[in-house]
């Protein structure tokens, strides 16, 4: 028997509707005491939304909609009911207090989804995708989480588990029955099978690509003062966010904004001009600009092409960058004094793009260059940091087993490494987990999920 939990499933604040969710063995009984439909009487039909009232004895708390969903055809595979009250904090809180008095207890963070996992409705990867869908900040992130929720990534891990289990079965048959299965027979296909698994896991772990889909592409705008960084910043965002003047050094701090490119969030950072300065405030801005470059996925280095190339700009074009960088010859509308050929002869094999941030010419070429860093959600096998971290540990165990075979170490050592890899893959899907891992994962959820 499981206790009955209750939680508000909608976000705090004003809105049209607030949903109070109940799950557990006593959910139906508590629901029947608290909700009085206008036209129907218990037992209620499953999955039928009814208009009625939430009542505390003879007192009407709120006019509401109610629905009963009987096990196992519910989110948690338990009896689940929902009461849809008017939005805002008061009505939902009053309904919560009533349901607690009637025998439910407040749900812990993520407890509804945890019960869905414990009752076998979803695996652990799908459970984590639930919160990912809620917190997605772009269309690409949402698609990746929906694909995981549908079981796409789980299928890949389970196929790897099945392949590894078959390899282990053949190896352990020789270890347990060496007189019946000789070593050559045991090793037949084992090395090739391990090589395939290792290759598949290596291709599945694309940490930068997955992070960009989840969190966005971080792009830093850099260059000498008055090169047009703030004008480009505003042009790409499509709004006037940065102050633009003819005075060099206007930008003193890192200004951040974002736009969407092919469904992926691009986080753009407008930084202070890179130059030697005696101004203490501007020095701090230059330091922050350099820090932004260190953390960026890509950089756009702007050069004022309407004036002759200075020694400082030439040095900047040759300067090593901590991330991939494109050179933008800006202000081409004001007359070209620096050509692409000149820039290409100086810079370190970086692409050179001519543009005018002022009138928009060349912006499409900048966007096309940024597209080179984007991955489509369907191209990524694993997208969560936890999954890739555990998969990397499993990969190391498989490589250790493969190396052991190459150096003709005892086969039982390879079996130990392969068993550990199988256990680690189970940590991703939830086949082999402990309470501490579950507590850590579900504690990040909102209460009503």
């Amino acid at each position: 028997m499981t206790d009955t939990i209750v939680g508000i499933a909608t976000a705090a604040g004003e809105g049209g509707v607030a949903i109070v969710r109940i799950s557990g063995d006593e959910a139906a009984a508590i629901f029947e005491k608290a909700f009085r439909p206008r036209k129907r009487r218990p037992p209620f039909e499953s999955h039928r939304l009814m208009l009625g009232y939430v009542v505390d004895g003879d007192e009407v708390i709120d006019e509401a909609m109610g629905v009963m969903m009987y096990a196992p055809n519910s989110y948690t595979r338990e009896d689940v009911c929902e009461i849809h009250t008017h939005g805002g904090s008061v009505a939902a809180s009053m309904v919560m207090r009533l349901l607690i008095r009637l025998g439910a207890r407040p749900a812990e963070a993520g407890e509804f989804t945890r019960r869905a996992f414990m009752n076998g409705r979803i695996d652990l990867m799908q459970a984590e995708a639930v919160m990912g869908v809620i917190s997605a900040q772009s269309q690409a992130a949402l698609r990746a989480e929906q694909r995981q929720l549908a079981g796409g990534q789980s299928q890949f891990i389970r196929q790897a588990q099945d392949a590894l289990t078959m390899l282990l079965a053949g190896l352990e048959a020789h270890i347990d029955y060496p007189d019946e299965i000789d070593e050559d027979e045991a090793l037949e296909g084992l090395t090739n099978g391990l090589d395939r698994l290792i290759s598949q896991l290596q291709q599945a772990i694309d940490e930068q690509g997955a992070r960009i889909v989840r969190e966005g592409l971080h792009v830093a705008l850099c260059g000498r003062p008055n090169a047009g960084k703030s004008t480009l910043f505003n042009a790409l965002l499509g709004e006037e966010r940065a102050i633009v003047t003819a005075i060099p050094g206007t930008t003193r701090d890192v200004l951040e904004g974002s736009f969407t490119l092919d469904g992926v969030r691009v986080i753009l950072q407008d930084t202070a001009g890179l130059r030697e300065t005696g101004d203490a405030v501007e020095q701090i801005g230059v330091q922050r600009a350099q820090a932004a470059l260190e953390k960026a996925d890509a950089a756009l280095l702007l050069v004022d092409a309407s004036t002759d190339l200075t020694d400082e700009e030439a040095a900047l074009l040759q300067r090593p960058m901590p991330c991939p960088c494109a050179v933008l010859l800006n202000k081409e509308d004001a007359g070209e004094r620096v050509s692409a050929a000149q820039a290409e002869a100086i810079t370190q094999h970086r692409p050179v793009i001519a543009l005018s941030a002022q009138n928009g010419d060349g912006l499409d070429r900048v966007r096309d260059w940024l597209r080179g860093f984007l991955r489509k959600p369907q191209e990524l096998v694993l997208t969560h940091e936890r999954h890739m971290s555990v998969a990397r540990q499993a990969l190391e165990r498989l490589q250790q087993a493969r190396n052991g075979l190459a150096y003709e170490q005892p086969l039982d050592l390879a079996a130990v490494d392969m068993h550990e890899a199988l256990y680690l893959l189970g940590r991703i899907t939830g086949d082999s987990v402990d309470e501490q891992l579950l507590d850590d994962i579900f504690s990040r959820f909102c209460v009503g999920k």
Side-chain angles (χ1 to χ4, degrees), residues 28 30-45 48-55 60 62-68 70 82-83:
I30 293 173
F31 178 73
E32 290 171 7
K33 294 176 184 177
F35 184 74
R36 184 183 299 162
R38 282 188 175 182
K39 297 181 179 180
R40 299 184 178 276
R41 294 292 178 267
F44 301 124
E45 183 180 350
R48 186 183 185 97
L49 195 62
M50 301 170 286
L51 175 63
Y53 302 94
V54 183
V55 295
V60 175
D62 192 18
E63 184 179 39
M65 304 290 286
V67 59
M68 187 71 222
Y70 295 105
E82 291 181 352
I83 297 175

Side-chain angles (χ1 to χ4, degrees), residues 337-352:
R337 301 289 293 272
V338 181
S339 68
Q342 282 179 280
E344 289 169 353
I346 298 172
T347 194
Q348 299 178 347
H349 309 292
R350 294 169 181 148
V352 177

Side-chain angles (χ1 to χ4, degrees), residues 312-323:
E312 290 82 4
E313 284 177 319
L316 195 56
L317 286 171
Q318 294 176 319
R319 174 179 172 174
M321 288 287 185
C323 60

Side-chain angles (χ1 to χ4, degrees), residues 81-157:
C81 63
E82 291 181 352
I83 297 175
H84 300 195
T85 72
H86 286 91
S89 59
V90 177
S93 297
M94 291 179 68
V95 173
M96 273 281 295
R97 288 195 291 271
L98 169 63
L99 297 175
I100 290 170
R101 287 205 311 273
L102 292 175
R105 69 162 175 81
E108 298 176 1
E111 192 167 2
F112 289 96
T113 303
R114 184 168 183 161
R115 290 190 176 197
F117 164 69
M118 297 300 294
N119 293 330
R121 182 180 173 274
I122 54 178
D123 64 27
L124 194 56
M125 297 182 78
Q126 292 172 300
E128 291 171 279
V130 171
M131 199 61 206
V133 168
I134 295 171
S135 60
Q137 298 184 27
S138 68
Q139 294 177 11
L142 179 61
R143 289 193 213 104
E145 297 296 345
Q146 288 173 333
R147 182 170 173 268
Q148 182 169 313
L149 186 58
Q153 284 93 332
S154 300
Q155 184 179 7
F156 169 79
I157 295 296

Side-chain angles (χ1 to χ4, degrees), residues 251-405:
T251 302
R252 297 295 187 94
D253 203 347
V254 177
L255 184 62
E256 187 171 288
S258 65
F259 66 97
T260 300
L261 182 63
D262 296 347
V264 177
R265 185 170 176 242
V266 178
I267 300 96
L268 203 60
Q269 293 183 311
D270 181 18
T271 68
L274 298 175
R275 67 172 175 179
E276 296 293 332
T277 176
D279 186 312
V281 176
E282 192 175 353
Q283 285 178 354
I284 295 173
V286 172
Q287 291 171 0
R288 292 184 178 179
Q290 292 169 341
L293 284 170
E294 293 290 339
K295 297 178 181 178
D297 298 304
L300 298 173
L301 173 57
L302 275 78
V303 173
D304 184 352
S306 67
T307 62
D308 292 331
L309 195 67
T310 65
D311 292 340
E312 290 82 4
E313 284 177 319
L316 195 56
L317 286 171
Q318 294 176 319
R319 174 179 172 174
M321 288 287 185
C323 60
C325 175
V327 175
L328 307 186
L329 300 182
N330 191 27
K331 305 185 184 181
E332 67 170 6
D333 56 306
E336 183 186 276
R337 301 289 293 272
V338 181
S339 68
Q342 282 179 280
E344 289 169 353
I346 298 172
T347 194
Q348 299 178 347
H349 309 292
R350 294 169 181 148
V352 177
I353 302 171
L355 82 154
S356 169
Q358 184 68 41
N359 62 29
D361 290 344
L363 288 183
D364 285 342
R365 292 192 293 273
V366 175
R367 296 188 187 98
D368 286 341
W369 184 75
L370 293 176
R371 283 188 176 94
F373 297 90
L374 309 184
R375 296 285 304 275
K376 295 179 180 179
Q378 61 268 28
E379 294 174 346
L380 296 168
V381 178
L382 302 175
T383 53
H384 280 221
E385 187 176 350
R386 185 187 78 84
H387 304 158
M388 287 183 286
S389 175
V390 179
R392 190 173 294 282
Q393 295 174 51
L395 175 61
E396 290 171 358
R397 289 292 186 170
L398 292 176
Q399 289 171 328
Q400 191 167 306
R402 179 65 180 85
N403 291 337
L405 294 176

